[in-house]
Amino acid sequence: GIQVEQSPPDLILQEGANSTLRCNFSDSVNNLQWFHQNPWGQLINLFYIPSGTKQNGRLSATTVATERYSLLYISSSQTTDSGVYFCAVKSNTGKLIFGQGTTLQVKP
Amino acid sequence: TAGITQAPTSQILAAGRSMTLRCTQDMRHNAMYWYRQDLGLGLRLIHYSNTAGTTGKGEVPDGYSVSRANTDDFPLTLASAVPSQTSVYFCASSDRQNTEAFFGQGTRLTVV
């Protein structure tokens, strides 16, 4: 089946710093999403981005489907950005498969 | 709007007992999914359904069964629970195959 790899697995930032999270996938996908899991366990939709670039405030994402990767950019990080960031891809069979996540800690 | 509702929020279950985790969505989404999340292992797909009347196996289907009798409901059943099924279970849904998926709040299950 399709494999999804995220990097780095863990990231510690000082408040105000920028970061880039990466998601690689092993096969053609029909869509790709980025999620943030907050400290209470809730999964928050960040981007639905099968291709191209999108921006939402301090966050932006780019997916290059032909090269099988996606990037999530966080600028001017805040302590509330802490948590786990997941990417998930959907194969042509309909399965939505998650990467292992990047755990982000933003220190004040 | 309610979106996706999971019940119960948490449960302690004796090993060997059966249990059904409920998931209901009011968005008329075609596709629904069940995941389990264990510490350090991310979310792993248990079963999924692309449309009412059809189901498919995910990455970790053993010990679980699902049914999709209608569009709104996608229950997950543990026929005979074992301690390794202790986990947080998430249900999700999406409108057609290639659109955004949304998640419920999760069910924390402890099998003792």
Side-chain angles (χ1 to χ4, degrees), chain A residues 30-31 33 35 37 41 43 45 48 86 90-100, chain B residues 33 35 37 41-43 45 48 50 57 59 90 94 96-103:
Chain A
N30 293 323
N31 71 30
Q33 286 186 249
F35 296 89
Q37 188 168 40
L43 284 159
N45 289 36
Y48 169 73
F86 290 104
K90 189 177 287 186
S91 69
N92 55 13
T93 62
K95 296 179 182 180
L96 184 64
I97 304 297
F98 277 71
Q100 298 280 26
Chain B
Y33 314 86
Y35 295 85
Q37 185 176 27
L41 292 179
L43 282 86
L45 182 65
Y48 68 105
N50 286 331
K57 293 182 179 181
E59 302 166 282
F90 286 96
S94 68
R96 301 175 308 276
Q97 261 193 294
N98 300 324
T99 58
E100 190 173 6
F102 296 88
F103 279 77

Coordinates of all heavy atoms in Angstrom, one line a residue, chain A residues 30-31 33 35 37 41 43 45 48 86 90-100, chain B residues 33 35 37 41-43 45 48 50 57 59 90 94 96-103:
Chain A
N30 N -4.9 11.0 -4.8 CA -6.0 11.8 -5.2 C -6.2 13.1 -4.4 O -6.8 14.0 -4.9 CB -7.3 11.0 -5.3 CG -7.2 9.9 -6.3 OD1 -6.6 10.1 -7.4 ND2 -7.8 8.7 -6.0
N31 N -5.8 13.0 -3.2 CA -5.8 14.3 -2.4 C -4.8 14.2 -1.3 O -4.3 13.1 -1.0 CB -7.2 14.6 -1.9 CG -7.7 13.7 -0.8 OD1 -7.0 13.2 0.0 ND2 -9.0 13.5 -0.8
Q33 N -4.1 16.1 2.7 CA -4.5 17.0 3.8 C -3.5 17.2 4.8 O -2.7 16.2 5.1 CB -5.8 16.5 4.4 CG -7.1 16.7 3.6 CD -8.3 16.3 4.4 OE1 -9.0 15.3 4.1 NE2 -8.7 17.1 5.3
F35 N -3.2 18.2 8.9 CA -4.0 18.4 10.2 C -3.1 18.8 11.3 O -1.9 18.5 11.3 CB -4.6 17.0 10.6 CG -5.6 16.5 9.6 CD1 -5.3 15.6 8.6 CD2 -7.0 16.8 9.8 CE1 -6.2 15.1 7.7 CE2 -7.9 16.2 8.9 CZ -7.5 15.4 7.9
Q37 N -3.0 18.3 15.4 CA -3.7 17.7 16.6 C -3.3 18.5 17.8 O -2.1 18.5 18.2 CB -3.3 16.2 16.8 CG -4.1 15.5 17.9 CD -4.0 14.0 17.8 OE1 -2.9 13.5 17.6 NE2 -5.1 13.3 18.1
G41 N -6.1 16.6 21.9 CA -6.4 15.4 21.0 C -7.3 15.7 19.8 O -7.5 14.8 19.0
L43 N -8.4 16.8 16.2 CA -7.8 17.0 14.9 C -8.4 18.1 14.2 O -9.6 18.1 13.9 CB -8.0 15.7 14.1 CG -7.0 14.5 14.5 CD1 -7.6 13.2 14.1 CD2 -5.6 14.7 14.0
N45 N -8.5 20.5 10.8 CA -8.1 20.6 9.4 C -7.3 21.9 9.1 O -7.8 23.0 9.5 CB -9.4 20.6 8.6 CG -10.1 19.2 8.5 OD1 -10.1 18.5 9.5 ND2 -10.6 18.9 7.4
Y48 N -6.6 21.3 2.7 CA -6.9 20.3 1.7 C -6.1 20.7 0.5 O -6.5 21.8 -0.1 CB -8.4 20.2 1.5 CG -8.7 19.3 0.3 CD1 -8.6 18.0 0.4 CD2 -9.2 19.9 -0.9 CE1 -8.9 17.2 -0.7 CE2 -9.5 19.1 -2.0 CZ -9.3 17.7 -1.9 OH -9.6 16.9 -3.0
F86 N 0.0 16.3 11.2 CA -0.1 15.1 10.3 C -0.4 15.5 8.9 O -1.2 16.4 8.6 CB -1.2 14.2 10.8 CG -1.0 13.5 12.1 CD1 -1.6 14.0 13.3 CD2 -0.2 12.4 12.2 CE1 -1.4 13.3 14.5 CE2 0.0 11.8 13.4 CZ -0.6 12.2 14.6
K90 N -4.9 10.3 0.2 CA -5.9 9.3 -0.2 C -5.5 8.6 -1.5 O -5.2 9.3 -2.5 CB -7.3 10.0 -0.4 CG -8.4 9.0 -0.6 CD -9.8 9.8 -0.7 CE -10.2 10.3 0.7 NZ -11.6 10.9 0.6
S91 N -5.5 7.3 -1.5 CA -5.2 6.5 -2.6 C -6.4 6.4 -3.6 O -7.5 6.8 -3.2 CB -4.7 5.1 -2.2 OG -5.8 4.4 -1.7
N92 N -6.1 5.8 -4.8 CA -7.2 5.7 -5.7 C -8.3 4.7 -5.3 O -9.3 4.5 -5.9 CB -6.7 5.4 -7.1 CG -5.8 4.2 -7.2 OD1 -5.8 3.4 -6.2 ND2 -5.1 4.0 -8.3
T93 N -8.0 3.9 -4.2 CA -9.0 2.9 -3.7 C -9.9 3.6 -2.6 O -10.8 3.0 -2.2 CB -8.3 1.7 -3.1 OG1 -7.5 2.2 -1.9 CG2 -7.4 1.0 -4.1
G94 N -9.5 4.8 -2.3 CA -10.3 5.5 -1.3 C -9.8 5.5 0.1 O -10.3 6.2 1.0
K95 N -8.7 4.8 0.4 CA -8.1 4.7 1.7 C -7.4 6.1 2.0 O -6.7 6.6 1.2 CB -7.1 3.6 1.8 CG -7.7 2.2 1.7 CD -6.6 1.2 1.8 CE -7.1 -0.2 1.6 NZ -6.0 -1.2 1.7
L96 N -7.6 6.6 3.2 CA -7.0 7.8 3.7 C -5.9 7.4 4.7 O -6.2 7.0 5.8 CB -8.0 8.8 4.3 CG -7.5 10.1 4.7 CD1 -7.0 11.0 3.6 CD2 -8.6 10.9 5.5
I97 N -4.6 7.5 4.2 CA -3.5 7.0 5.0 C -2.7 8.2 5.6 O -2.4 9.2 4.9 CB -2.6 6.2 4.1 CG1 -3.4 5.0 3.5 CG2 -1.4 5.6 5.0 CD1 -4.0 4.1 4.5
F98 N -2.4 8.1 6.9 CA -1.7 9.1 7.6 C -0.2 8.8 7.7 O 0.3 7.7 7.8 CB -2.2 9.2 9.1 CG -3.4 10.1 9.2 CD1 -4.6 9.6 8.7 CD2 -3.4 11.3 9.7 CE1 -5.8 10.4 8.8 CE2 -4.5 12.1 9.8 CZ -5.7 11.6 9.4
G99 N 0.6 9.9 7.8 CA 2.0 9.8 8.2 C 2.1 9.7 9.7 O 1.1 9.8 10.4
Q100 N 3.3 9.5 10.2 CA 3.5 9.3 11.6 C 3.5 10.6 12.4 O 3.4 10.6 13.6 CB 4.9 8.7 11.9 CG 5.0 7.3 11.2 CD 4.3 6.2 12.1 OE1 3.4 6.5 12.8 NE2 4.8 5.0 11.9
Chain B
Y33 N -14.6 6.6 7.7 CA -13.4 5.9 8.1 C -13.3 5.7 9.6 O -13.8 6.5 10.4 CB -12.2 6.7 7.7 CG -12.2 7.3 6.3 CD1 -12.8 8.6 6.1 CD2 -11.6 6.7 5.3 CE1 -12.9 9.1 4.9 CE2 -11.6 7.3 4.0 CZ -12.3 8.5 3.8 OH -12.3 9.0 2.5
Y35 N -10.2 5.0 12.6 CA -8.8 4.9 12.8 C -8.6 4.6 14.3 O -9.5 4.9 15.2 CB -8.1 6.3 12.6 CG -8.1 6.7 11.1 CD1 -9.2 7.4 10.6 CD2 -7.0 6.4 10.3 CE1 -9.2 7.7 9.3 CE2 -7.1 6.8 9.0 CZ -8.2 7.5 8.5 OH -8.2 7.8 7.2
Q37 N -5.5 5.4 17.3 CA -4.3 6.2 17.5 C -3.6 5.7 18.8 O -4.2 5.8 19.8 CB -4.6 7.7 17.6 CG -3.3 8.5 17.7 CD -3.5 10.0 17.7 OE1 -4.5 10.5 18.0 NE2 -2.5 10.8 17.2
L41 N 2.5 6.1 17.3 CA 2.2 5.4 16.1 C 1.3 6.1 15.1 O 0.9 5.6 14.1 CB 1.6 4.0 16.4 CG 2.6 3.0 17.0 CD1 1.8 1.7 17.3 CD2 3.8 2.7 16.1
G42 N 0.9 7.3 15.4 CA 0.0 8.1 14.5 C -1.3 7.4 14.4 O -1.7 6.7 15.3
L43 N -2.0 7.8 13.4 CA -3.4 7.2 13.1 C -3.3 6.1 12.1 O -2.7 6.3 11.0 CB -4.3 8.3 12.6 CG -4.9 9.3 13.7 CD1 -3.9 10.4 13.9 CD2 -6.2 9.8 13.2
L45 N -5.5 3.3 9.8 CA -6.8 3.0 9.3 C -7.2 1.6 9.6 O -6.5 0.6 9.3 CB -6.8 3.2 7.8 CG -8.1 3.1 7.1 CD1 -9.1 4.1 7.5 CD2 -7.8 3.2 5.5
Y48 N -12.8 1.2 6.3 CA -13.4 2.4 5.6 C -14.6 2.0 4.8 O -14.8 0.8 4.5 CB -12.3 3.1 4.8 CG -11.9 2.4 3.6 CD1 -12.3 2.7 2.3 CD2 -11.0 1.3 3.7 CE1 -11.8 2.0 1.2 CE2 -10.5 0.6 2.6 CZ -11.0 0.9 1.3 OH -10.5 0.2 0.2
N50 N -16.5 3.6 1.2 CA -16.6 4.6 0.2 C -18.0 5.1 0.0 O -18.3 6.2 -0.5 CB -16.0 4.2 -1.1 CG -14.5 4.1 -1.0 OD1 -13.9 4.9 -0.3 ND2 -13.9 3.2 -1.8
K57 N -11.2 -3.1 4.1 CA -10.2 -3.2 5.1 C -9.1 -2.2 5.0 O -8.6 -1.9 3.9 CB -9.6 -4.6 5.1 CG -10.6 -5.7 5.5 CD -9.9 -7.1 5.5 CE -10.9 -8.2 5.8 NZ -10.3 -9.5 5.9
E59 N -5.4 -0.7 7.3 CA -4.1 -1.2 7.6 C -4.1 -2.2 8.8 O -3.3 -3.1 8.8 CB -3.2 0.0 8.1 CG -3.1 1.1 7.0 CD -2.5 2.3 7.6 OE1 -3.2 3.1 8.3 OE2 -1.3 2.6 7.4
F90 N -10.8 7.2 16.3 CA -11.4 8.3 15.6 C -12.2 7.9 14.4 O -11.8 7.0 13.7 CB -10.3 9.3 15.1 CG -9.6 10.1 16.2 CD1 -8.4 9.6 16.8 CD2 -10.1 11.3 16.6 CE1 -7.8 10.4 17.8 CE2 -9.5 12.0 17.6 CZ -8.3 11.6 18.2
S94 N -15.9 12.0 4.6 CA -15.7 13.0 3.5 C -16.7 12.8 2.4 O -17.3 11.8 2.3 CB -14.3 12.8 2.9 OG -14.2 11.6 2.2
R96 N -17.3 13.1 -1.5 CA -16.9 12.2 -2.5 C -15.5 11.7 -2.2 O -14.9 12.0 -1.2 CB -17.0 12.8 -3.9 CG -18.4 13.3 -4.2 CD -18.4 14.0 -5.5 NE -17.4 15.1 -5.6 CZ -17.5 16.3 -5.1 NH1 -18.6 16.6 -4.5 NH2 -16.5 17.2 -5.3
Q97 N -15.0 10.9 -3.0 CA -13.7 10.2 -2.8 C -12.6 11.2 -2.6 O -11.6 11.0 -1.9 CB -13.4 9.2 -3.9 CG -13.7 7.8 -3.5 CD -13.1 6.8 -4.5 OE1 -13.5 6.8 -5.6 NE2 -12.2 6.0 -4.0
N98 N -12.7 12.3 -3.4 CA -11.5 13.2 -3.4 C -11.8 14.5 -2.8 O -11.5 15.5 -3.4 CB -11.0 13.3 -4.9 CG -10.7 12.0 -5.4 OD1 -10.1 11.1 -4.7 ND2 -11.0 11.7 -6.7
T99 N -12.4 14.5 -1.7 CA -12.6 15.8 -1.0 C -12.1 15.7 0.5 O -11.7 14.7 1.0 CB -14.1 16.2 -1.0 OG1 -14.8 15.2 -0.4 CG2 -14.5 16.5 -2.4
E100 N -12.2 16.8 1.1 CA -11.6 17.0 2.5 C -12.4 16.1 3.5 O -13.6 15.9 3.4 CB -11.8 18.4 2.9 CG -11.1 18.8 4.2 CD -11.2 20.4 4.4 OE1 -11.9 21.0 3.6 OE2 -10.6 20.8 5.3
A101 N -11.6 15.5 4.4 CA -12.2 14.6 5.4 C -12.2 15.4 6.7 O -11.3 16.2 7.0 CB -11.3 13.4 5.6
F102 N -13.2 15.1 7.5 CA -13.4 15.7 8.8 C -13.5 14.7 9.9 O -14.1 13.6 9.7 CB -14.7 16.6 8.8 CG -14.6 17.7 7.9 CD1 -15.0 17.6 6.6 CD2 -14.1 19.0 8.3 CE1 -15.0 18.7 5.7 CE2 -14.1 20.0 7.4 CZ -14.5 19.9 6.1
F103 N -13.0 15.0 11.1 CA -12.9 14.0 12.2 C -13.8 14.3 13.3 O -14.2 15.4 13.6 CB -11.5 13.9 12.7 CG -10.6 13.1 11.8 CD1 -10.1 13.6 10.6 CD2 -10.2 11.8 12.2 CE1 -9.3 12.8 9.8 CE2 -9.4 11.0 11.4 CZ -9.0 11.5 10.2

